[in-house]
Amino acid sequence: MKTKQALTALDQAIAAIGISSESKKDDEFTTSEFADRVGMTIGGAKDRLAREVRRGVYKSRSGVLNGQRMNFYSLA
């Protein structure tokens, strides 16, 4: 029971800072996937995605995939 409580507390702490431990959803993509598809560098893709998020074209959320924290993007 104590382990379950600890996991619940950890999940709540992670959610409180805005990081989702959920995996990537089917309608989402990562910066590296975007960069690979359009032939950009990772830095260029980050800049472009950030600009499009500000314009409201995409929305983003933080998450963890394969142990790495990253942003997931989807159409707004």
Side-chain angles (χ1 to χ4, degrees):
M1 186 68 159
K2 188 173 185 177
T3 303
K4 186 176 181 179
Q5 289 173 340
L7 287 176
T8 301
L10 179 58
D11 290 337
Q12 291 174 352
I14 290 170
I17 59 172
I19 299 175
S20 171
S21 60
E22 298 175 11
S23 61
K24 184 176 65 133
K25 297 175 185 169
D26 289 338
D27 66 338
E28 294 178 322
F29 57 91
T30 64
T31 303
S32 59
E33 291 170 333
F34 181 83
D36 290 344
R37 180 70 62 93
V38 299
M40 289 182 142
T41 64
I42 295 293
K46 283 181 180 181
D47 291 344
R48 181 62 180 260
L49 289 169
R51 186 169 51 243
E52 298 303 326
V53 167
R54 285 191 304 271
R55 288 183 53 221
V57 175
Y58 299 124
K59 59 183 177 179
S60 68
R61 70 176 179 93
S62 295
V64 177
L65 184 63
N66 299 327
Q68 286 189 309
R69 184 175 175 273
M70 60 183 62
N71 289 330
F72 300 124
Y73 298 91
S74 60
L75 290 173

